[in-house]
Amino acid sequence: MLSVAASAALLLPLLSGAPPAGADAPVADSLQRQFAAAAERHGVPQSVLLAVSYLQSRWDGHAGAPSVTGGYGPMHLTDTATALARSVPHPSEDGEDARGDDARPARSGAEAAPPSPEELPARLRTLERASALSGIPAEELRTSTAANIEGGAALLAAAQREAGLAPSTDPADWYGAVARYSGADDAATAAAYANDVFDVIRTGEERVTDSGQRVVLPAAPAVAPETGQVAALGLRAPERGPVECPTTVACEWIPAPYEEFGDGDYGNHDKGDRPVSQSIDYIVVHDTEATWDVTLKLVQDPTYVSWQYSLRSSDGHVAQHLPLKDVGWHAGNWFVNAKSVGLEHEGFLTAPDSWYTEAMYRSSARLVRYLAQRYDIPLDRQHVIGHDNVPGTVTSSIRGMHTDPGPYWDWAHYFRLLGRPLTPSAGPAAGVVTIRPAYGENRPVYTGCATAGEACAPHGSGAVRLHTAPSADAPLVKDIGLRPGGQDSTTGVNDTGARASTGQSYAVAERRGDWTAIWYLGQKAWFHNPAAAPTAVNARGRVLTPREGLAEVPVYGRAYPEASAYPAGVPVQAVSPLPYRLLAGQKYVVGHKTPGEYYYAPVFDSSGHRVVRGQEEYYQIQFGHRIAFVKAADVRVSQS
């Protein structure tokens, strides 16, 4: 997460201010009929209008709340200036060191002012143009689903005219108009977006929206669009450079600088030789608090920090900034940085109901699949992690760790797109559960989006809340790392102390009626898991527990080698336990086994950089909301 404006710690979904109420009361198939009527009025094939809307919003209206980049309604009509004006700054975590390396001074992000309305590109102001084309007032386009669909249809019809194409009832004739609707300024991204839209048309879609409306787009596998229409749009060719991306996404090379700038300081990443020098074990999902243009300026600043890829919300465009062999400064934990790839997803603070476009989810999933295959990274939630799952390196850094992408990122949908849907793999007596609430219906109350202690607007969430007993009235479990005084966790939107997230797997401690207990941060933690509406699926997996004779074992935020492994000239890094303990009788799900490693890279001249690797081995575990490490010699591993 970037540190801009109110700081990258907050991230898009941890937002503010109640969204305006939608103007439409859901009635039976009214949404399907609204698409049909708008398509007919503007001469747009209904399948094209439905598929474009699906790629933007999956047909959801979000009760009139804007997306992370200020897009409104099912057609994602962008009015970013209004969304920014309605946003409320949110206090951030203090002082996360993006490098997370004790051997050198901390490096945190600089601040960047939000853009002024006149600086916003056309792709972030499409609602204004839809209003001019349709004659519908801007506020109605923001709050009325029917009006929003009408505005989107008007934009598509105008794009067809501006491309010099005749009106047509054949979806295949609308490829160029769809490409223009993306708002992309380069031909590759526009084409990738249009390809996704026509893939939806060919395969069809059906779902119930957030307003309870069932929408159906029948499959039309024979549709073969006129892909050559993109060439006539006059869009630029992206700078491909040495990009490392799948061919299914539009990707360009916008490099982060490796520069020296006085007093021995340099930026904004480290040269490396991965995976020859070290394996790449993690993909870290971030979101950023900046527009696309500001994001690119920040990553090109040598005094700032860095990550491998940025993804644009409106169309899923990808920019690569570092060769994958190099190490970015993004996760706040040097061990994780040295063994991960960081993905920043465009967005900024708008409202608690902020949402991500389907276009960005799909591009991100394709990129993650490519990286996972290239580096043999398991597609699970111990290896595809959020910034909010990265542990603090030592006790003093726990409270400053970032919390993005937060409780509103739809991990279940993301893993479906990754081709790894979260399904049961064991029976009702399983020793492991994987968290998987129904995202839309799961709406735990969060507080502090706009004002401390005040409830955020209701919103679907992929997280469940953890209690000290099988009752919603029981206190939330404690996180002594976040609150050394032993206070209870809170319902704060940035408080990860009593939160289990979709896809995370935990060892079962007990089952009692509609409640399930898991081992979490050294304690038994209960969540509501009724058989009629389960919030977790039963799973199998490896678990570990303290070896015989040990009452407890220490838990670590990084897997560093023993002191004897360090050669002369390389300062020994402390193997410092976190304040938590894994107690005898408790079990935790194992991610993978890793040797103790430390990447020594304290200066600009990379000729002296080296990997220190010891004999001590560690297991990564799902310990709380964040992952953690325990020494292999301290534990016994078994199949659940």
Side-chain angles (χ1 to χ4, degrees):
M1 182 81 173
L2 310 181
S3 294
V4 297
S7 151
L10 298 182
L11 321 188
L12 334 172
L14 318 183
L15 305 173
S16 56
D24 304 300
V27 177
D29 62 346
S30 62
L31 187 57
Q32 184 94 47
R33 289 186 281 109
Q34 287 164 5
F35 277 109
E40 183 176 358
R41 269 193 294 274
H42 293 276
V44 180
Q46 187 176 343
S47 62
V48 170
L49 187 61
L50 281 165
V52 167
S53 177
Y54 186 87
L55 201 63
Q56 292 292 350
S57 67
R58 299 177 73 217
W59 304 321
D60 287 336
H62 296 275
S67 75
V68 295
T69 44
Y72 290 84
M75 299 305 299
H76 196 249
L77 302 180
T78 53
D79 185 9
T80 301
T82 296
L84 278 172
R86 290 177 174 175
S87 69
V88 179
H90 194 296
S92 68
E93 297 91 339
D94 293 326
E96 183 193 71
D97 169 16
R99 285 195 292 216
D101 182 7
D102 298 346
R104 49 190 172 176
R107 170 62 65 82
S108 57
E111 292 197 351
S116 61
E118 58 273 13
E119 293 176 313
L120 296 172
R123 64 182 175 80
L124 297 181
R125 294 184 285 108
T126 61
L127 189 140
E128 175 186 322
R129 184 149 192 266
S131 179
L133 288 168
S134 66
I136 301 172
E139 184 63 18
E140 192 174 346
L141 290 172
R142 284 191 289 266
T143 58
S144 165
T145 299
N148 189 272
I149 295 169
E150 194 82 25
L155 283 176
L156 274 167
Q160 183 80 345
R161 293 192 300 271
E162 290 158 5
L165 300 170
S168 173
T169 58
D170 186 351
D173 295 333
W174 286 76
Y175 188 88
V178 169
R180 186 180 289 279
Y181 191 95
S182 71
D185 61 356
D186 72 275
T189 303
Y193 178 90
N195 288 341
D196 259 347
V197 168
F198 278 88
D199 182 59
V200 172
I201 291 173
R202 283 189 292 266
T203 59
E205 288 290 350
E206 178 178 351
R207 72 181 295 264
V208 176
T209 72
D210 59 359
S211 62
Q213 296 279 302
R214 179 167 296 280
V215 179
V216 178
L217 172 58
V223 172
E226 297 289 340
T227 57
Q229 292 175 351
V230 169
L233 299 180
L235 302 175
R236 69 177 179 88
E239 178 57 56
R240 288 287 298 176
V243 295
E244 298 162 286
C245 291
T247 58
T248 52
V249 303
C251 190
E252 68 178 315
W253 177 248
I254 302 177
Y258 189 66
E259 296 180 11
E260 202 167 16
F261 48 85
D263 296 327
D265 204 356
Y266 68 98
N268 57 11
H269 59 280
D270 281 299
K271 296 296 184 182
D273 189 26
R274 307 183 308 174
V276 175
S277 59
Q278 289 183 282
S279 60
I280 297 177
D281 296 333
Y282 305 102
I283 297 167
V284 183
V285 173
H286 303 255
D287 58 27
T288 176
E289 196 173 285
T291 62
W292 179 255
D293 294 338
V294 171
T295 298
L296 297 186
K297 288 177 183 176
L298 290 170
V299 79
Q300 292 177 91
D301 179 355
T303 68
Y304 195 62
V305 296
S306 61
W307 50 95
Q308 278 77 17
Y309 297 95
S310 295
L311 292 96
R312 192 160 65 197
S313 173
S314 59
D315 52 23
H317 178 69
V318 178
Q320 183 176 355
H321 310 300
L322 302 177
L324 290 170
K325 66 183 181 64
D326 292 343
V327 177
W329 303 343
H330 59 94
N333 181 315
W334 184 240
F335 180 82
V336 174
N337 277 343
K339 299 175 74 66
S340 71
V341 175
L343 277 61
E344 288 277 3
H345 296 79
E346 180 194 14
F348 45 80
L349 293 178
T350 52
D353 203 25
S354 274
W355 47 282
Y356 301 87
T357 65
E358 179 70 0
M360 186 162 67
Y361 270 128
R362 288 189 173 211
S363 273
S364 182
R366 288 185 181 122
L367 179 57
V368 168
R369 284 202 309 268
Y370 163 83
L371 295 169
Q373 183 175 23
R374 179 169 174 172
Y375 296 113
D376 196 25
I377 301 171
L379 285 173
D380 61 40
R381 287 284 281 114
Q382 291 214 47
H383 298 90
V384 181
I385 60 178
H387 197 174
D388 55 346
N389 306 133
V390 176
T393 53
V394 293
T395 297
S396 60
S397 66
I398 292 173
R399 297 184 70 182
M401 298 302 289
H402 283 190
T403 60
D404 57 303
Y408 303 136
W409 180 267
D410 193 344
W411 286 106
H413 180 54
Y414 197 52
F415 268 78
R416 283 192 295 272
L417 293 173
L418 288 172
R420 293 290 191 277
L422 304 170
T423 56
S425 58
V432 169
V433 290
T434 297
I435 305 301
R436 197 201 64 181
Y439 181 89
E441 290 76 39
N442 181 51
R443 298 193 167 204
V445 175
Y446 294 106
T447 57
C449 290
T451 304
E454 290 190 6
C456 304
H459 189 282
S461 173
V464 298
R465 196 153 281 145
L466 302 173
H467 298 265
T468 56
S471 167
D473 296 327
L476 298 177
V477 296
K478 303 177 191 296
D479 184 335
I480 60 171
L482 288 175
R483 295 178 177 82
Q487 302 93 329
D488 293 337
S489 298
T490 73
T491 58
V493 74
N494 282 310
D495 189 343
T496 60
R499 183 183 299 171
S501 182
T502 289
Q504 293 180 324
S505 295
Y506 298 90
V508 175
E510 187 179 346
R511 298 180 192 263
R512 195 182 301 175
D514 287 345
W515 289 78
T516 299
I518 56 175
W519 294 116
Y520 183 95
L521 295 180
Q523 63 202 300
K524 191 179 288 188
W526 293 88
F527 67 97
H528 194 227
N529 186 29
T535 53
V537 296
N538 294 311
R540 63 184 63 194
R542 293 188 306 156
V543 296
L544 57 73
T545 193
R547 65 176 173 80
E548 189 174 350
L550 293 180
E552 62 179 40
V553 301
V555 177
Y556 302 91
R558 55 192 181 186
Y560 276 179
E562 65 278 9
S564 61
Y566 289 81
V570 178
V572 173
Q573 300 300 298
V575 180
S576 177
L578 299 177
Y580 313 106
R581 290 292 182 271
L582 194 165
L583 304 178
Q586 297 182 358
K587 296 181 179 180
Y588 293 86
V589 173
V590 176
H592 67 276
K593 196 176 192 180
T594 182
E597 290 183 351
Y598 173 64
Y599 182 41
Y600 180 62
V603 295
F604 180 76
D605 181 1
S606 61
S607 63
H609 295 183
R610 61 188 303 170
V611 175
V612 180
R613 187 172 289 110
Q615 297 299 310
E616 188 84 73
E617 292 184 306
Y618 294 79
Y619 284 109
Q620 178 207 320
I621 59 173
Q622 187 66 61
F623 188 60
H625 184 72
R626 300 181 188 271
I627 61 171
F629 302 91
V630 293
K631 291 183 178 180
D634 289 342
V635 298
R636 175 174 54 85
V637 177
S638 62
Q639 192 70 27
S640 69

